[in-house]
Amino acid sequence: MKVTGNSNINRVRSTTSVRRTSASSSASEADSVRDIQDTVQIAAIPPEEMTPRVQQAIMSLMHEVEKLRGELEATNRRLREMEDVADTDAMLPIPNRRAFIRELNRMISFAQRYGTPSTLMFIDLNDMKHINDTYGHAAGDKALFHVARTVSENVRDTDVVGRLGGDEFGVILAQADETVGAQKAETLAKMISETPLLIDDQSIGLKLAYGVYTFRSGDEPQDAIERADQAMYENKRSLKGEDNIR
């Protein structure tokens, strides 16, 4: 028998394509209907009032809610970014004084609540004025950055390093008593003294003075800072002599 054409095959393919398209469209419509039905159940809308216009209004409302949810998430993300900027020191990649004191208050409360010792380390970079006057303020900035990076890289993730101002740094050592804090401070001071700063092929020796204080019941953040600061000055005097403190 002679075959004159493939029109029947084309009709079958066309019909199949239409069925597939219809099936896809039906699946999408089914999803929309389910969304509407869920919304109707929540809103307690009687089925007899679910006219096409009501369905369209509900779908528009659902799209608007989804849009508002996305905008809220974007706003919260921007707020978190702004908080990070506000909490970071203007020059160094560590928390500033405001953020550090907030963490100090939190850690003091935690230590008092659970009876675990935690210690504040107060660090001062010696001879900062001499570095600025001799090598320039850019060298002084590099010295501060060197100290911040060295200290941050050699404490635990649970510890907090922050800049208290000028050439002064604070470190909160979680779950560490005064003996452990003093040992850690001595280790950090030794690391700084053994890694001189290179400025224009010149080697600048850096030295730290430090003091440690373990939180006690009833302490406020400023109390802990003042006591650790006092211990730091005692350490500075023992290292250099009171008449040569800079």
Side-chain angles (χ1 to χ4, degrees):
M1 181 177 67
K2 185 178 179 181
V3 179
T4 58
N6 59 356
S7 58
N8 290 332
I9 296 176
N10 289 336
R11 280 198 295 275
V12 172
R13 289 176 177 172
S14 177
T15 302
T16 303
S17 176
V18 169
R19 287 175 178 172
R20 288 175 179 170
T21 302
S22 299
S24 175
S25 176
S26 298
S28 177
E29 291 175 357
D31 290 338
S32 297
V33 170
R34 280 194 294 270
D35 290 339
I36 293 175
Q37 289 174 344
D38 292 340
T39 304
V40 169
Q41 291 177 358
I42 295 174
I45 300 176
E48 61 271 14
E49 296 183 9
M50 281 299 300
T51 64
R53 292 186 62 183
V54 172
Q55 294 183 22
Q56 183 178 5
I58 291 175
M59 291 302 298
S60 297
L61 179 60
M62 292 170 64
H63 289 314
E64 186 66 23
V65 169
E66 189 64 27
K67 179 181 176 182
L68 291 174
R69 182 182 293 114
E71 293 176 352
L72 178 60
E73 291 176 353
T75 300
N76 288 335
R77 185 168 57 253
R78 288 194 295 270
L79 286 174
R80 288 192 297 270
E81 293 172 353
M82 293 173 64
E83 288 175 354
D84 290 340
V85 171
D87 285 347
T88 303
D89 185 78
M91 186 178 68
L92 305 176
I94 56 176
N96 55 24
R97 184 183 181 93
R98 181 180 73 91
F100 184 82
I101 290 180
R102 185 179 65 239
E103 288 300 306
L104 179 58
N105 185 65
R106 183 180 66 84
M107 191 63 72
I108 289 175
S109 298
F110 181 89
Q112 293 177 352
R113 185 172 191 176
Y114 295 101
T116 58
S118 292
T119 297
L120 171 64
M121 183 192 309
F122 195 105
I123 295 175
D124 178 84
L125 177 58
N126 288 337
D127 298 330
M128 189 64 186
K129 184 177 185 303
H130 173 72
I131 294 173
N132 285 330
D133 293 344
T134 304
Y135 303 99
H137 287 276
D141 292 345
K142 290 182 179 179
L144 292 174
F145 187 88
H146 177 66
V147 172
R149 181 179 60 187
T150 301
V151 173
S152 298
E153 291 178 351
N154 290 279
V155 295
R156 300 164 299 176
D157 292 339
T158 54
D159 301 330
V160 180
V161 180
R163 187 183 183 193
L164 299 178
D167 56 1
E168 298 173 340
F169 299 84
V171 183
I172 304 171
L173 300 173
Q175 299 185 26
D177 59 22
E178 192 164 343
T179 299
V180 173
Q183 291 173 347
K184 188 63 177 180
E186 184 178 356
T187 299
L188 292 173
K190 184 178 180 181
M191 293 179 67
I192 292 294
S193 65
E194 292 178 350
T195 55
L197 184 66
L198 296 178
I199 301 293
D200 297 331
D201 296 328
Q202 297 186 64
S203 179
I204 304 176
L206 302 178
K207 291 186 180 297
L208 300 181
Y210 59 84
V212 297
Y213 174 73
T214 300
F215 309 144
R216 296 172 184 169
S217 179
D219 278 343
E220 295 292 336
Q222 193 58 39
D223 298 330
I225 290 176
E226 290 176 357
R227 291 187 174 95
D229 184 26
Q230 182 180 0
M232 182 275 297
Y233 271 104
E234 292 175 358
N235 176 251
K236 185 187 286 279
R237 282 193 290 269
S238 68
L239 291 175
K240 302 179 63 175
E242 188 170 0
D243 294 338
N244 295 321
I245 293 177
R246 293 174 181 172

